[in-house]
């Protein structure tokens, strides 16, 4: 059932009918989902350890201890709570899902790239494995950055609480925020892979990417301001800075790839019109056809008597003009 449709079509360029493309996409998505489900089942057996890991940032930074409402430095602390009967079960599913998506990143990234890779040349298909190998650490790096800035974000947010007011944070809302930040930060760190994929397929050149740097800096800063909770500047810069660095790394890789690709192409620096194929092979000239004498249009020219006997001139001229 999960047999790849491309194995049935032995086309060197990966061409196939639309229905086969849809079938291939279905198979790739199903494999990715199965990988996530398997990791979710395994994560369910380590639910306690995962909970401790996820709650550690907020517990150590603003968590209430021993029933007090303020930390040792006098700031407001937070108490995590669940207020519904099915809350613990729902939270357990969220934790398992987040663990599945994060830990199964190499699998679903490979399936995504494997669906696109047949559009490349044969020599470029090997990059499918490199895409998954590099994409997984990038996603994990973005997820860890979201996890690392959470304590500072929690301190800033709870700093607006009035004195002697106890902050009670629902565990479900905290997990929702953490899952959203992990996924958003992780996908944001895949930006260089997207740019490199566009360059590898020949859609965008490295020089064109470099001309986008002003707009990219502004766009990444705006994205970081939206993605970080509260929009506070420190967390925003902690996200925008690495994204900008990854963007320039992708541009540098694309420039090197363009240079490698154009090394054996003498027409690489020419425009499309200048680089068009022209057949300059000389062809033999056929026999010359005789050209008939011009027909005399006027009676005076036909008789030749207009400017004397035997003359072809008329009033001193060769013809009537």
């Amino acid at each position: 059932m999960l047999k790849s449709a491309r194995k049935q079509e032995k086309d060197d360029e990966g061409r196939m009918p639309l229905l086969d493309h849809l079938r291939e996409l279905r198979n790739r998505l199903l494999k990715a989902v199965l990988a996530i489900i398997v990791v979710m089942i395994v994560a369910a057996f380590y639910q306690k350890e995962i909970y401790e890991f996820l709650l550690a940032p907020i517990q150590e930074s603003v968590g209430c201890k021993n029933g007090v409402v303020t930390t040792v430095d006098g700031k407001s602390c937070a108490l995590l709570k669940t207020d519904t009967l099915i809350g613990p079960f729902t939270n357990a599913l969220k934790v398992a899902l987040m663990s599945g998506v994060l830990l199964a990143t190499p699998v679903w990234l490979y399936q995504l790239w494997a669906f696109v890779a047949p559009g490349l040349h044969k020599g470029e298909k090997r990059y499918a494995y490199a895409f998954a190998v590099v994409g997984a650490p990038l996603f994990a790096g973005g997820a860890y950055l979201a996890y690392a800035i959470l304590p500072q974000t929690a301190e800033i947010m709870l700093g607006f609480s009035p004195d002697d007011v106890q902050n009670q944070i629902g565990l479900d809302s905290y997990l929702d925020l953490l899952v959203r930040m992990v996924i958003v930060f992780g996908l944001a760190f895949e930006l260089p892979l997207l740019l490199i994929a566009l360059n590898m397929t020949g859609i965008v050149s490295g020089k064109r990417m470099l001309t986008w740097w002003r707009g990219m800096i502004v766009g990444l800063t705006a994205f970081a301001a939206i993605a970080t909770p509260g929009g506070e500047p420190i967390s925003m810069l902690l996200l925008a800075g690495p994204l900008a660095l990854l963007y320039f790394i992708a541009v540098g890789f694309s420039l090197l790839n363009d240079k490698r690709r154009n090394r054996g192409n003498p027409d690489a620096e020419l425009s499309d019109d200048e680089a068009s194929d022209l057949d300059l092979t000389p062809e033999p000239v056929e026999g010359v056809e005789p050209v008939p004498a011009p027909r005399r249009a006027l009676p005076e020219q036909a008789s030749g008597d207009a400017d004397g006997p035997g003359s072809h001139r008329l009033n001193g001229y060769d013809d009537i003009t």
Side-chain angles (χ1 to χ4, degrees):
M1 180 180 64
L2 298 180
K3 185 177 180 180
S4 175
R6 291 196 176 101
K7 293 183 180 179
Q8 302 173 5
E9 294 287 339
K10 300 295 183 179
D11 194 294
D12 295 336
E13 298 181 4
R15 294 174 296 188
M16 65 174 67
L18 177 60
L19 291 179
D20 288 342
H21 275 294
L22 296 177
R23 188 179 300 110
E24 177 74 10
L25 178 60
R26 180 201 63 188
N27 294 341
R28 296 293 179 185
L29 290 176
L30 187 56
K31 291 177 182 179
V33 172
L34 287 177
I36 294 175
I37 293 176
V38 170
V39 177
M40 286 178 58
I41 296 175
V42 175
F45 292 97
Y46 298 93
Q47 182 180 9
K48 181 179 179 180
E49 291 78 5
I50 295 175
Y51 259 123
E52 293 178 354
F53 176 77
L54 296 179
L55 300 181
I58 193 169
Q59 291 285 17
E60 295 176 1
S61 59
V62 295
C64 294
K65 298 179 180 179
N66 300 324
V68 298
V69 296
T70 59
T71 59
V72 292
D73 53 0
K75 296 182 179 179
S76 299
C77 63
L79 177 65
L80 293 174
K81 65 181 181 68
T82 57
D83 53 4
T84 60
L85 181 61
I86 63 173
F89 176 75
T90 304
N91 294 331
L93 288 180
K94 291 179 182 179
V95 170
L97 177 60
M98 181 174 61
S99 302
V101 173
L102 182 60
L103 299 179
T105 300
V107 178
W108 60 261
L109 277 179
Y110 170 75
Q111 296 299 329
L112 173 63
W113 183 250
F115 178 74
V116 180
L120 303 175
H121 297 292
K122 286 185 177 180
E124 296 175 334
K125 293 181 180 180
R126 64 181 182 272
Y127 293 108
Y129 296 97
F131 183 89
V133 171
V134 177
L138 286 176
F139 189 91
Y144 180 77
L145 179 60
Y147 178 83
I149 67 175
L150 191 58
Q152 184 178 13
T153 302
E155 291 181 2
I156 294 175
M157 295 296 101
L158 295 184
F160 294 97
S161 299
D163 296 337
D164 300 328
V165 173
Q166 185 178 14
N167 298 286
Q168 295 185 353
I169 302 175
L171 183 59
D172 53 349
S173 61
Y174 169 75
L175 292 176
D176 288 341
L177 175 63
L178 182 59
V179 170
R180 183 169 66 250
M181 290 181 61
V182 165
I183 294 178
V184 170
F185 279 47
L187 292 179
F189 269 54
E190 301 295 333
L191 172 66
L193 282 186
L194 174 61
L195 296 177
I196 291 174
L198 293 176
N199 178 259
M200 294 295 297
T201 53
I203 298 177
V204 181
S205 64
K207 291 182 179 179
R208 175 64 62 84
M209 290 183 194
L210 188 59
T211 61
W212 298 345
W213 73 271
R214 294 180 180 86
M216 289 296 294
I217 295 299
V218 175
L220 292 175
T221 304
F223 170 78
I226 298 173
T228 52
E232 48 95 12
I234 297 179
S235 299
M236 180 185 69
L237 293 177
L238 287 175
L239 176 59
L243 288 179
L245 178 61
L246 291 174
Y247 161 71
F248 284 110
I249 291 176
V251 171
F253 178 90
S254 299
L255 291 173
L256 293 177
N257 182 57
D258 291 341
K259 184 177 180 180
R260 176 194 61 82
R261 182 184 299 167
N262 298 333
R263 190 173 300 160
N265 183 9
D267 299 331
E269 301 299 329
L270 301 178
S271 63
D272 293 339
D273 294 337
E274 293 173 331
S276 300
D277 295 332
L278 298 176
D279 187 5
L280 302 179
T281 305
E283 297 181 357
V285 180
E286 299 179 357
V288 179
E289 299 180 358
V291 180
R295 182 174 60 86
R296 302 300 179 91
L298 300 175
E300 293 84 354
Q301 293 175 313
S303 62
D305 296 336
D307 199 23
S311 174
H312 297 284
R313 300 171 61 85
L314 179 62
N315 297 329
Y317 297 97
D318 291 335
D319 53 26
I320 191 64
T321 60

